Amino acid sequence: MIELNNVSKTYANGVNALNNIDIFIEKGEFVYVVGPSGAGKSSFIKMIYREERPTEGSIQIHGTDLMTLKEKHVPFLRRKIGVVFQDFKLLPKLSVFENVAFALEVIEEPKDVIRRRVMEVLDIVKLKNKARFLPDELSGGEQQRVSIARAVVNNPRVVIADEPTGNLDPDTSWEIMEILENINRNGTTVLMATHNREIVNAIKKRVIAIEGGRVVRDEPKGDYGYER
Amino acid sequence: MIELNNVSKTYANGVNALNNIDIFIEKGEFVYVVGPSGAGKSSFIKMIYREERPTEGSIQIHGTDLMTLKEKHVPFLRRKIGVVFQDFKLLPKLSVFENVAFALEVIEEPKDVIRRRVMEVLDIVKLKNKARFLPDELSGGEQQRVSIARAVVNNPRVVIADEPTGNLDPDTSWEIMEILENINRNGTTVLMATHNREIVNAIKKRVIAIEGGRVVRDEPKGDYGYER
Amino acid sequence: MKGRTLARHGKEGLKNLGRNSWMSFASISAVTIMLFVVGVFLLLIVNMNSFISSVEEDVEVQVYIELGTSDQEQAELEQQLKNLDHVESVTYLSKDEGLDRLIDSLGQDSEAFESLRDENPLNDAFIVQASEPQQTEAVAEAASGLSYIDSIDYGEQVVEQLFNVTKILRIIGLVLVAGLMFTAMFLISNTIKLTIVARQQEIQIMKLVGATNSFIRWPFFVEGLLLGVFGAVIPIAAITGGYHYLYTNYADKLSIDFAEILPVYPLTLQISAVLIGIGVLVGIWGSITSVRKFLKV
Amino acid sequence: MKGRTLARHGKEGLKNLGRNSWMSFASISAVTIMLFVVGVFLLLIVNMNSFISSVEEDVEVQVYIELGTSDQEQAELEQQLKNLDHVESVTYLSKDEGLDRLIDSLGQDSEAFESLRDENPLNDAFIVQASEPQQTEAVAEAASGLSYIDSIDYGEQVVEQLFNVTKILRIIGLVLVAGLMFTAMFLISNTIKLTIVARQQEIQIMKLVGATNSFIRWPFFVEGLLLGVFGAVIPIAAITGGYHYLYTNYADKLSIDFAEILPVYPLTLQISAVLIGIGVLVGIWGSITSVRKFLKV
Ligand SMILES: Nc1ncnc2c1ncn2[C@@H]1O[C@H](COP(=O)(O)OP(=O)(O)OP(=O)(O)O)[C@@H](O)[C@H]1O
Ligand SMILES: Nc1ncnc2c1ncn2[C@@H]1O[C@H](COP(=O)(O)OP(=O)(O)OP(=O)(O)O)[C@@H](O)[C@H]1O
Ligand SMILES: [Mg+2]
Ligand SMILES: [Mg+2]
């Protein structure tokens, strides 16, 4: 359960990225976030795992109030949320395996469990044979898939994906969607910012459209589009 | 005129990214490069502006043989080629304006020419009002548009765009395509790696499909797709 | 924290040295060269200090006995001298021995004074050594209150000037060593900070995927510790070896009269301990404090 | 390169200091502290050297004249002494003056020797000063070949030991200053390298968008130069000011007899020149060499 009440965000440089956002997302929902470039999709997403804090309003995730959450509890919030970052955010000095394993190491899983689970996930994103590569040795799409693998490896309760298919060909994109649908079927909430009209229109889910920092449309089983 | 003869590329880690590529691109052509994730599109593109060197074969750009080109002449080759990098490659400490201006400073344009031309291009990509922002203060799509602006600002003879619409919504993507078509109409060769089926199928141009490091299809006015 | 996590942090810290090999090399060489400089200075200053002490030890009070003092009175005087505060030892010096010593100290001029032997102008004397060289004046003063004394001599002016000089030398030495240690600490932690600033983004990514502050900090702790240890190896080896070599081959040339350079042990062991201590503490401190800056994500 | 481009490089170099403010601060403070240490050492060593020289200057050869030498013969001897190689000056010292000097130097013991005045055991003498203290022995040797000479004394053992000590002190001083300068250069360029490694990616991007090596290098050149200049300001001010203060307030306390600490000028000017020279050269050098590594893209 994710709840935003009257949330606004103004960055330090004065840009007003979000305005009075009210959104309620049920546990286990699958939600697309669409909108033009610079609309505020990433800003919205960043507030959920608390990379950014709203300048106004309140946010609740699974009963946790992000506004009063203590600094030292933030890591535990983030462990429940798997994030596919728009710019991947891989650790450049770690191999593909180590990057994905990192999300399990922080929750102190035993080594053999880590090993098994990481290889499982890398297999799903078709990167098993590149487990020992460094991020720099991967193509753009491969890096994106590592980011996806890391987001889902610890079976989080919420998966947030910011443009997860931006660097992928259509076939691979469909495969990634299948992964996301699968974990959603198992009860994970999925929130996905995307520009991919083809996918949004084919796999019908709730669509939240943001434009100029405001929610301009919020439809169950909606189409791609953000005109009012 | 871009000519690749029997080009192969094996990276230091043993990955064989390209195999015996023979491609001839006429001056003023518009070419899509398509293929699945990890097919070798970026590797192909990187060899043209000499970020990477082929392990075998030869490449000629406008009569310049890249295999014998002296190190110190490489910058002059690159000035004739505008590149939209898949990962944007913006200078993080420079503002949007400074990032775009950099491509003109290296060719020692006068200050007022730089100013005028940069603002012109930023206007085209709709970032005029963000000229003083740092890359970190931009959304993914905005960063991508800065990269596009920098690639075209000095009216290069060739524009290479690696996935230039990956982080853009459909509307903005069409606008970017318009820009690319425009400069192509003025005689600039355009080479664009993309996963965007919608665009490739709508704006019909030559399509080179790469899969597993080989050219599997090369059709004038082709469709998106890379099955043999 | 589970045991395997602790092991993981240790391994990760070590691996990070390799992953950032250029940076690690820069840090370790900064530690190495600064500790070497500090070590060399410690050697010099400690030896200088011991030289100075030897020179100071040489200061003594000559208490000339009144002519015609009986043996018993003389013994009484000796006992009184011994009972004074800060007196280390009292030695009898007959006027003939005194003249010998004096003539000896004149070098080649001495022959000209042989004639004095016939008519010794000196008195018998007690040579009084103060327990602390700095107490010499006090002892001389106290002694002057006793009876059976002809005169007292402790080279007042010379001694005063000597102590002035040694005091200045000691202050300079202390300031130099303290200044150098501070410099070393500053530069080492500065260098380590630079290597960590360069990893700022990585630290932020770790936080974004759910790492706690301590989970991130531990490998840096290990890394800082290892930087200090590795950086101390060469200076310790070079200083111990070099000093050993100097001592065995040039100890006599480097010694002046009574003042000898200090033996290799335990001096080099103590200096090694100081060096590794600085290395490790500053390594850990520099590492941990720099990480802290980037943990707020 | 066009003029406006040169101006652009200068401005860019200055701007870069601000853009990488943390790194610039780290570099400048490393330069500052190392130059300060080097400067303090230069002051110490140069002064030590001048002290040593004063002490050495004090060495002289006493040439005692045979009894019964006529005035004319004495004048002849004086001329011959003056004609010897490496002789700076020749002064006559009558046996009475000689005895005065001797008795004076004995301090409080002196009274006991007043009796000698009746029957002066010394001869008249010439005091010969060598042009270089190290030539004293040679002068004494040469003088010993002359006639009308009773004996020659220049404190053979003491002088030899003195020169031994001053030689060792000079070597230690030189080694320390050279070592410290090397250390300073190494650490400064090391620090600068670290700040540039952190900008490796930016350098590569510049190359990818068509910048030539020299286009990239120039702003770094300016940056290195500015780092050196800014880093030298505080040490120069502190050393000049501090030394000025010491000199005006404590010059007498810091001087022993004939050996005085050197005046503020030109010494501090020379040291300032050395410091700014090191700062600028190492700044530019460290900056340029580190950039070079990343230009191959
Ligand atoms: N760190 C930041 N500091 C200042 N302004 C920012 C920052 N991040 C984003 N912005 C601004 O906030 C606005 C919204 O950005 P956001 O990244 O949320 O857009 P977006 O919807 O994700 O766009 P895209 O589809 O291009 O990724 C933009 O105008 C951007 O310039
Ligand atoms: N620097 C490198 N070192 C080693 N291997 C590399 C390097 N860059 C790419 N590769 C490998 O070469 C292959 C082709 O990569 P390339 O980036 O050309 O793919 P691409 O077609 O651009 O894929 P995408 O659509 O995902 O960007 C991939 O398998 C990748 O792992
Ligand atoms: Mg975004
Ligand atoms: Mg690619």
Side-chain angles (χ1 to χ4, degrees), chain D residues 259-280:
Chain D
E260 298 185 341
I261 72 169
L262 294 166
V264 178
Y265 301 102
L267 179 59
T268 54
L269 292 182
Q270 291 159 343
I271 289 182
S272 299
V274 170
L275 295 189
I276 206 156
I278 295 181
V280 167

Side-chain angles (χ1 to χ4, degrees), chain D residues 147-161:
Chain D
S147 18
Y148 316 122
I149 288 179
D150 173 79
S151 67
I152 289 183
D153 179 21
Y154 67 98
E156 202 167 339
Q157 282 175 312
V158 177
V159 167
E160 205 171 290
Q161 211 166 36

Side-chain angles (χ1 to χ4, degrees), chain B:
Chain B
M1 182 214 69
I2 301 171
E3 192 176 348
L4 283 80
N5 282 314
N6 197 31
V7 166
S8 296
K9 173 71 188 175
T10 306
Y11 284 104
N13 64 356
V15 171
N16 188 224
L18 291 173
N19 277 307
N20 308 94
I21 304 284
D22 279 299
I23 285 177
F24 185 89
I25 296 170
E26 211 66 76
K27 193 168 169 325
E29 260 193 291
F30 194 122
V31 181
Y32 293 119
V33 181
V34 303
S37 179
K41 302 181 293 299
S42 296
S43 301
F44 163 49
I45 274 178
K46 283 177 185 170
M47 286 191 305
I48 292 172
Y49 60 89
R50 244 214 54 172
E51 181 174 347
E52 297 288 349
R53 303 190 68 167
T55 29
E56 243 177 77
S58 72
I59 306 180
Q60 300 226 333
I61 314 282
H62 289 284
T64 310
D65 184 348
L66 293 204
M67 307 315 291
T68 60
L69 186 68
K70 288 215 187 90
E71 203 58 56
K72 65 176 176 186
H73 292 134
V74 171
F76 302 94
L77 166 78
R78 289 184 181 148
R79 290 171 191 181
K80 290 189 221 147
I81 305 176
V83 183
V84 183
F85 300 92
Q86 190 167 12
D87 54 356
F88 316 152
K89 291 209 195 298
L90 301 179
L91 292 161
K93 306 259 173 56
L94 301 191
S95 71
V96 166
F97 180 91
E98 290 167 329
N99 261 288
V100 178
F102 193 84
L104 294 175
E105 281 175 3
V106 297
I107 53 175
E108 307 195 28
E109 289 283 356
K111 223 168 159 175
D112 52 332
V113 173
I114 294 182
R115 177 147 199 89
R116 193 168 34 78
R117 181 73 188 128
V118 170
M119 289 319 274
E120 223 172 84
V121 179
L122 285 181
D123 195 24
I124 296 178
V125 298
K126 305 223 165 91
L127 283 175
K128 209 170 168 179
N129 62 336
K130 302 220 158 141
R132 311 186 63 165
F133 283 36
L134 290 176
D136 265 359
E137 301 171 336
L138 299 180
S139 80
E142 287 163 349
Q143 289 178 31
Q144 191 154 41
R145 284 180 277 155
V146 177
S147 190
I148 293 167
R150 182 179 58 189
V152 303
V153 73
N154 64 342
N155 296 312
R157 292 213 250 154
V158 179
V159 167
I160 298 184
D162 198 349
E163 203 75 58
T165 62
N167 285 272
L168 297 177
D169 58 279
D171 291 353
T172 311
S173 298
W174 288 110
E175 285 164 22
I176 295 301
M177 287 313 294
E178 235 167 77
I179 300 170
L180 292 178
E181 279 194 275
N182 256 331
I183 62 171
N184 176 242
R185 242 174 257 127
N186 297 334
T188 303
T189 313
V190 176
L191 192 64
M192 168 173 162
T194 186
H195 293 307
N196 198 319
R197 189 198 320 243
E198 215 175 318
I199 286 175
V200 174
N201 289 349
I203 306 176
K204 291 278 184 181
K205 302 285 181 188
R206 175 174 171 192
V207 175
I208 298 176
I210 298 183
E211 200 175 349
R214 292 177 194 283
V215 175
V216 293
R217 197 160 57 89
D218 185 351
E219 282 178 11
K221 305 216 173 282
D223 271 341
Y224 184 89
Y226 35 83
E227 293 76 25
R228 259 156 259 238

Side-chain angles (χ1 to χ4, degrees), chain D residues 130-151:
Chain D
S131 55
E132 298 288 313
Q134 284 74 13
Q135 301 295 342
T136 307
E137 194 183 343
V139 168
E141 208 133 297
S144 68
L146 303 175
S147 18
Y148 316 122
I149 288 179
D150 173 79
S151 67

